[in-house]
């Protein structure tokens, strides 16, 4: 069904009404809810392992949509400096007795809360020690830490650097910067 295809989803402790794919944490299950509100149950009892790893994607920091729909400049932690800017997400690889589910979070903040809660009841394979970072750093501190360490993690843990669908010129520029 979802085997070997990574799905982007919002990792949530409580579901939301938005039509975005959601990975929900329930008492005895993980539930993947797609845009059509169809649910796939992943019972904890069937889970063999859960692995988390960070991932980055290139983000264009200079242009964004303002609330009125006009394009404008967005301030960010590298404001005023032309740079390739990365957004960080969390990959969640869930191996069950019957399937392998691959997810990528849609943001870092909800993902960190989700992972911390999930880790209370399920042992997570966390090679990079993200859980300790989630426990001790604010999201801004976490992003700055990841800016400093992601390149080394990518080499050590064979992570995509960056994961992207952008054209080759942007990828080349990012690799040279990173």
């Amino acid at each position: 069904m979802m085997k070997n295809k990574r799905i982007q989803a919002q990792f949530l402790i409580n579901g939301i009404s938005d039509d975005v794919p959601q990975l929900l944490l329930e008492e005895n299950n993980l539930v993947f809810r797609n845009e059509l509100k169809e649910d796939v149950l992943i019972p904890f009892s069937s889970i063999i392992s859960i692995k988390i790893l960070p991932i980055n994607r290139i983000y264009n920091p200079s242009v964004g949509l303002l609330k009125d729909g006009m394009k404008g400049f967005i301030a960010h932690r590298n404001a005023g400096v032309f740079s390739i800017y990365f957004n960080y997400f969390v990959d969640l690889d869930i191996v069950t007795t019957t399937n392998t589910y691959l997810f990528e979070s849609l943001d870092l903040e909800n993902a960190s809360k989700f992972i911390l809660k999930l880790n209370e009841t399920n042992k997570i394979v966390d090679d990079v020690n993200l859980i300790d970072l989630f426990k001790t750093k604010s999201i801004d501190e976490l992003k700055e830490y990841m800016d400093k360490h992601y390149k080394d993690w990518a080499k050590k843990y064979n992570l995509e650097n960056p994961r992207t669908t952008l054209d080759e010129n942007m990828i080349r520029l990012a690799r040279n910067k990173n």
Side-chain angles (χ1 to χ4, degrees):
M1 176 215 65
M2 289 191 278
K3 198 165 177 71
N4 296 335
K5 179 175 175 355
R6 190 165 301 279
I7 295 173
Q8 290 181 299
Q10 190 68 271
F11 295 5
L12 297 166
I13 296 169
N14 299 304
I16 54 175
S17 60
D18 294 3
D19 292 335
V20 297
Q22 300 171 45
L23 185 63
L24 305 170
L25 185 56
E26 293 186 344
E27 193 173 343
N28 297 308
N29 307 297
L30 288 173
V31 178
F32 173 66
R33 179 168 297 149
N34 67 17
E35 299 95 327
L36 304 172
K37 304 265 190 269
E38 298 164 336
D39 290 357
V40 174
L41 284 181
I42 307 170
F44 288 148
S45 60
S46 74
I47 294 175
I48 296 167
S49 71
I50 300 173
K51 182 173 187 161
I52 60 170
L53 283 168
I55 196 68
N56 71 8
R57 285 185 179 274
I58 295 174
Y59 172 73
N60 180 345
S62 57
V63 179
L65 288 177
L66 300 175
K67 286 192 176 94
D68 60 6
M70 299 291 291
K71 285 195 170 191
F73 290 92
I74 295 176
H76 59 86
R77 63 186 186 277
N78 296 331
V81 179
F82 173 76
S83 63
I84 297 281
Y85 169 63
F86 296 102
N87 264 350
Y88 297 98
F89 304 94
V90 178
D91 276 355
L92 192 62
D93 298 355
I94 304 165
V95 178
T96 70
T97 51
T98 57
N99 216 333
T100 298
Y101 301 92
L102 305 173
F103 295 101
E104 177 188 323
S105 67
L106 288 176
D107 71 25
L108 199 54
E109 191 162 4
N110 283 309
S112 64
K113 292 174 187 166
F114 179 93
I115 301 279
L116 287 174
K117 190 80 177 149
L118 180 63
N119 193 48
E120 291 173 11
T121 53
N122 293 267
K123 185 69 185 112
I124 294 176
V125 178
D126 178 19
D127 296 337
V128 182
N129 291 321
L130 283 180
I131 291 169
D132 288 341
L133 296 174
F134 293 159
K135 287 178 183 173
T136 58
K137 297 193 178 307
S138 72
I139 291 299
D140 285 341
E141 291 169 333
L142 182 60
K143 287 176 181 172
E144 285 180 21
Y145 186 89
M146 291 172 108
D147 280 345
K148 289 186 183 104
H149 298 279
Y150 189 87
K151 186 178 178 183
D152 295 330
W153 290 343
K155 285 182 185 146
K156 185 171 182 181
Y157 301 105
N158 199 26
L159 306 176
E160 293 170 71
N161 188 21
R163 174 180 293 165
T164 183
T165 53
L166 295 175
D167 67 63
E168 288 302 312
N169 290 334
M170 282 299 285
I171 295 169
R172 197 166 25 258
L173 191 58
R175 287 217 171 101
N176 292 341
K177 159 128 181 38
N178 209 354

